[in-house]
Amino acid sequence: MDASSTIGAAETGAVLKYSLVWFLLLLTIPLYFIQEVSGRIGIATGKGLGEIIRERYSRKVSLAMALPMALTDVLTYAVEYAGAAVGLAVFGIPVIVSVPIIFTAHLLLMLGRKYEQAERVLLFISPILFVGFALVLVESGIKPYPLFYFSLSPSFVFLLAANVGAVVMPFMLFFQASATAIKYSTRRFVPKRVAINRIRMETAVGALATELLMVLVEMSMAGADPSTNFLSPQSISKALSSFAGPLSPIFFGVGLVAAAFLALVVISLGSAWGVVEALGVGREKTFIVYILESVPAALAISLVPTQELANAVLNLLVFLVLALVGPGVIQGLISSDEKVMGDLKNTRLQSLLYWASLAFVLVFGFLAIF
C-alpha cells in the first residue's frame, strides 16, 4: 500500500463512494496467488527472480524484465516522495525540507544493506497505516452508501484498472522472491515445507491487509468533493475538514507519509535487487541503482509543485498493470519448471489459479487503454 495506491483509492471514494468495496476485496484473490508464486520461487531456489531469469534464459531476457520496471520505478519514486511531502505539509513542513528528510531517512536504512533491518522498520510502519486511515473513517463516519456498482463506461473501467495497478505492481514480484530467499536462506534449519506454509500465511495476511487498507481509504473519502486534488495539502485539508472534522487531515497525512515511506523501502529493494540480479553483479551494487533511481525523483519533487502530479497518478497505476506482463508471464513459466522448482513447482491447480489471476489483472490494463 503506497502513496499512489492511497491516492487511487481516495479518488475512487470521492467519485464512486463505497461502490468499489466489493472489487477491492475481490483483488485479494489474484494478489495472493501472484505473490505466493514469487515467494515459492524464492524458497525453492534461494535466489531472486532476476537471477533465476538470467540463469534459466539469458542476461538479455533478465534485463528486458528488470529495466522497464526500474525506469517505471523512477516515476513511482516521484509519487512516493510527493505523497510523503504532502503528508508532512499538512503539519506545516514545506516540501523543500520534507523531501530531504525522507530521502535521508531512506538512505540511512538502505546503507544498512540488511533485509532484516528493513523488515523490522516496515513492520513498525504498517500499523501506523491502519491507525491513520481508520481514524479518518471514524471521523467521517460510515454512511449508508451502496457497496456494489458496475458499469462498462470508460471512466468506470479506467478506475477499475487503476485500482488493480494500485495493488499488483512489477517490483513486488522481484521484492517478494528476493526477500523470501534472503529471509529463509539465513534460517538453515527451517524445512522448505515449513517455510512454504509460513510464506503462504504471510502472503495471505499481507494481501488481505492491503485490500482492507484500500477499503478504509475509499470509504473514508466517500464524502470528499470529486474535484479534490489529493496531492495538494490545501485541497486535502479543505475537503476533509468539510465533512470529517478538523483532525481528519492530520490522520490522513500520517497514513500518507507511512504509506509513502513503506513503499520507498520496498520499491528500492525490489527494483535494485531485480537490476543487479539481472546484471549478475553482487548485491553490494544495489546502492548504485537506488541512487540512480531516487535522486532524480527527489530533486524533481523538491522543485515541481506536488499537485501537478495528481492527474498522472491514475495513469501511472494503469501503466503498472501493463508493465506486469513480462515479469508476470515469465514468473508463471518458471514456477512450472521442475528443473528450477523441484518438488515445489506448480501443480495443475496452482498453474490454473496463477494464470487466471494474472489474466484477471492484465485484462483491466488493456481495457483501460482501449
Side-chain angles (χ1 to χ4, degrees):
M1 178 70 172
D2 70 338
S4 61
S5 305
T6 302
I7 293 162
E11 293 272 5
T12 300
V15 174
L16 296 174
K17 305 296 190 286
Y18 298 173
S19 298
L20 279 193
V21 166
W22 67 274
F23 186 72
L24 294 179
L25 294 176
L26 180 65
L27 284 175
T28 304
I29 298 172
L31 177 57
Y32 168 77
F33 285 114
I34 292 172
Q35 291 293 117
E36 187 273 341
V37 166
S38 302
R40 187 149 39 90
I41 288 173
I43 290 174
T45 65
K47 299 173 182 178
L49 186 58
E51 187 174 358
I52 294 301
I53 297 172
R54 176 172 51 82
E55 292 178 353
R56 190 72 184 95
Y57 297 95
S58 69
R59 184 179 180 184
K60 289 182 179 179
V61 173
S62 189
L63 285 172
M65 298 298 105
L67 290 182
M69 171 196 66
L71 294 173
T72 304
D73 286 345
V74 175
L75 299 176
T76 311
Y77 268 121
V79 175
E80 307 308 339
Y81 281 120
V86 169
L88 291 173
V90 172
F91 297 91
I93 302 174
V95 172
I96 198 67
V97 175
S98 61
V99 171
I101 290 174
I102 293 294
F103 178 83
T104 302
H106 186 202
L107 178 66
L108 292 174
L109 186 61
M110 289 297 295
L111 282 173
R113 297 179 184 171
K114 291 184 178 179
Y115 171 67
E116 292 79 5
Q117 293 176 348
E119 186 180 49
R120 283 195 291 268
V121 173
L122 298 183
L123 289 173
F124 172 77
I125 291 174
S126 295
I128 299 175
L129 276 164
F130 274 99
V131 171
F133 295 136
L135 286 175
V136 178
L137 181 58
V138 169
E139 287 283 296
S140 63
I142 297 177
K143 306 295 193 301
Y145 297 130
L147 297 177
F148 182 87
Y149 174 75
F150 185 80
S151 169
L152 292 177
S153 68
S155 59
F156 183 81
V157 173
F158 186 80
L159 274 178
L160 288 180
N163 279 281
V164 171
V167 294
V168 187
M169 302 179 183
F171 65 81
M172 290 165 54
L173 308 187
F174 290 88
F175 176 82
Q176 176 90 334
S178 295
T180 304
I182 293 170
K183 189 172 181 178
Y184 287 100
S185 65
T186 59
R187 300 177 183 181
R188 298 179 182 178
F189 301 108
V190 178
K192 283 188 175 181
R193 287 295 172 185
V194 174
I196 284 290
N197 290 334
R198 287 182 183 177
I199 199 63
R200 283 174 176 163
M201 179 60 69
E202 290 175 1
T203 303
V205 171
L208 182 59
T210 300
E211 293 312 310
L212 288 176
L213 280 167
M214 293 286 286
V215 168
L216 281 176
V217 175
E218 180 190 343
M219 293 179 67
S220 65
M221 292 299 162
D225 185 331
S227 65
T228 301
N229 185 335
F230 290 100
L231 274 178
S232 165
Q234 295 80 14
S235 185
I236 291 173
S237 296
K238 181 180 177 181
L240 284 173
S241 298
S242 66
F243 73 93
L247 292 177
S248 56
I250 295 174
F251 299 145
F252 185 78
V254 168
L256 191 56
V257 172
F261 191 78
L262 183 147
L264 281 171
V265 177
V266 174
I267 294 167
S268 58
L269 291 176
S271 187
W273 282 337
V275 172
V276 299
E277 288 164 3
L279 290 170
V281 299
R283 280 225 170 96
E284 67 275 5
K285 304 294 185 181
T286 55
F287 179 70
I288 298 174
V289 179
Y290 161 65
I291 292 294
L292 290 175
E293 289 183 326
S294 63
V295 170
L299 287 174
I301 298 306
S302 298
L303 301 173
V304 177
T306 56
Q307 55 264 33
E308 298 297 325
L309 283 176
N311 292 332
V313 171
L314 295 182
N315 291 309
L316 172 63
L317 291 175
V318 171
F319 181 76
L320 288 174
V321 177
L322 301 178
L324 189 69
V325 174
V329 168
I330 207 161
Q331 174 175 273
L333 296 174
I334 288 171
S335 62
S336 296
D337 189 334
E338 189 172 5
K339 291 181 180 179
V340 176
M341 300 293 292
D343 60 351
L344 294 182
K345 75 179 185 68
N346 279 349
T347 63
R348 288 185 179 179
L349 178 59
Q350 286 172 329
S351 287
L352 176 63
L353 292 170
Y354 178 81
W355 290 111
S357 296
L358 185 64
F360 178 85
V361 169
L362 296 181
V363 72
F364 286 100
F366 290 110
L367 281 175
I369 290 177
F370 295 134

